[in-house]
Amino acid sequence: MTEFEKHADLALRLNLKNEEFDAQLCMGKADDCLRDNPNQIAEISDFSIVGNLYARMVFYGWKSSRIANLAYWGLSKSLINSQKNIDLITTRLLVMIFAR
């Protein structure tokens, strides 16, 4: 598991527990890890982590086309393996609406 995935996983778990402040701190750490070492993207095995993390960032109001693009990319890559996952489809549509 990459450094990015560790921070992203923690951020998503904290988000589920409604611990928004800590979740957003971990989101920032995950994003920093990926920006500092973009080669990690090649080692990621579960792209839904990428998509869901960056989608949550979009929903929290983080304004950046890079963040929206990574959310859409991660969710699209996850849908390749699970094309009928309604949660991924819905989240991807919401990212497009929020980032518009």
Side-chain angles (χ1 to χ4, degrees):
M1 183 177 266
T2 65
E3 184 91 15
F4 167 79
E5 288 175 297
K6 289 176 187 173
H7 289 296
D9 184 55
L10 179 58
L12 292 171
R13 282 189 283 125
L14 289 168
N15 185 254
L16 287 174
K17 293 179 182 178
N18 293 321
E19 296 180 26
E20 293 180 14
F21 181 78
D22 291 335
Q24 288 190 48
L25 284 176
C26 288
M27 288 175 190
K29 287 179 185 178
D31 187 47
D32 288 343
C33 285
L34 194 58
R35 277 190 286 153
D36 291 343
N37 185 6
N39 294 332
Q40 290 182 76
I41 205 89
E43 299 173 24
I44 294 174
S45 58
D46 183 6
F47 289 102
S48 67
I49 290 175
V50 177
N52 284 313
L53 174 83
Y54 283 105
R56 297 300 175 274
M57 292 170 77
V58 169
F59 301 154
Y60 276 120
W62 295 37
K63 302 286 184 198
S64 167
S65 60
R66 181 184 61 79
I67 290 172
N69 288 338
L70 283 166
Y72 188 85
W73 176 79
L75 292 165
S76 296
K77 291 285 279 186
S78 324
L79 281 166
I80 291 171
N81 296 328
S82 54
Q83 295 177 352
K84 295 182 182 183
N85 186 327
I86 194 72
D87 292 332
L88 292 174
I89 293 168
T90 305
T91 303
R92 189 172 71 164
L93 286 171
L94 288 171
V95 165
M96 289 190 301
I97 292 167
F98 272 75
R100 200 174 120 192

